[in-house]
Amino acid sequence: MIELDSSVHPELVPLSWLIGSWEGVGVVGYADTPEKQFGQSVDFVAHPGTPFLQYTAHAWLLSEDGELESTLTLETGIWQLVRPRDAGDVGPGMLVPTEEPSFTSAAAVETLRTNDEGFEIEAEIVHPHGVMELYAGHVNGPRVDLSTDVVARTRTAKEYTASTRMYGLVGGELMWAWDMAALGHELATHSSARLKKIA
């Protein structure tokens, strides 16, 4: 059973099962690269009054005896429902709203529900090695499916063109899988993990 904090913004209710700190292990590999085990910690934070989740994920390679070998990545980002932005929202930049917010009740958020009873979502994820991903996707119950809408790279980044990610809550554990198209290869399995909630 998911316990919902009353301070969670109504727009975050469909994503509330993600909120918290998660840790566990997974497997990473790609194309001709052999599979290796990694450890990971993931945090989804709902700041009071904000209609988005702050996402951070730290992954590290594990040696054969299970010790930390090296950091693989540190991702940061924002996850939120897809909806029109209006004068009740902050932005662009830090411009303050000039009207009352539009989606402050469960009834208002329900108007965003899709034909299959889920919600459209978007996620922006930034990597430390010159890659930024803008994902479009869907949340339906305790499952999120994302695929890249835009991939931006710095001129020094490795070639990386697309990816999909799936997150699901199974037996109280957060399980995810990530496929990517990179280094001249088509979309293929890249990594997956099983994480337990620690806070």
Side-chain angles (χ1 to χ4, degrees):
M1 180 176 173
I2 300 171
E3 292 184 25
L4 188 60
D5 184 339
S6 62
S7 69
V8 171
H9 193 284
E11 288 183 59
L12 295 182
V13 171
L15 295 168
S16 61
W17 54 274
L18 289 166
I19 296 171
S21 297
W22 306 82
E23 284 189 1
V25 295
V27 176
V28 60
Y30 186 68
D32 302 324
T33 306
E35 287 189 347
K36 294 204 170 194
Q37 192 173 50
F38 68 91
Q40 186 181 44
S41 63
V42 173
D43 291 293
F44 287 95
V45 179
H47 296 284
T50 58
F52 55 81
L53 291 179
Q54 180 183 1
Y55 164 82
T56 58
H58 176 207
W60 54 90
L61 197 58
L62 293 172
S63 64
E64 289 186 15
D65 58 3
E67 296 298 316
L68 189 153
E69 194 170 282
S70 61
T71 291
L72 289 172
T73 192
L74 178 60
E75 300 178 330
T76 60
I78 298 293
W79 293 37
Q80 59 195 332
L81 295 187
V82 171
R83 66 162 176 83
R85 306 292 166 200
D86 57 29
D89 292 301
V90 173
M94 294 191 298
L95 291 178
V96 298
T98 56
E99 295 180 6
E100 291 299 310
S102 301
F103 294 89
T104 58
S105 69
V109 173
E110 278 297 312
T111 66
L112 301 173
R113 201 176 278 278
T114 59
N115 289 338
D116 63 355
E117 296 302 306
F119 294 88
E120 289 184 89
I121 67 168
E122 58 191 29
E124 302 91 31
I125 299 178
V126 178
H127 302 257
H129 24 263
V131 173
M132 189 280 290
E133 302 164 301
L134 175 58
Y135 284 94
H138 194 259
V139 56
N140 196 335
R143 179 179 170 134
V144 170
D145 290 281
L146 299 169
S147 58
T148 47
D149 186 37
V150 174
V151 174
R153 294 180 288 140
T154 63
R155 63 182 180 81
T156 58
K158 292 180 180 180
E159 188 264 341
Y160 177 82
T161 57
S163 75
T164 62
R165 300 190 191 206
M166 185 279 296
Y167 296 78
L169 190 64
V170 180
E173 295 182 323
L174 181 62
M175 300 178 72
W176 64 259
W178 180 4
D179 293 355
M180 72 175 183
L183 308 176
H185 298 283
E186 298 292 324
L187 197 66
T189 300
H190 169 53
S191 57
S192 61
R194 178 188 296 252
L195 310 176
K196 294 184 182 299
K197 193 166 189 177
I198 60 166

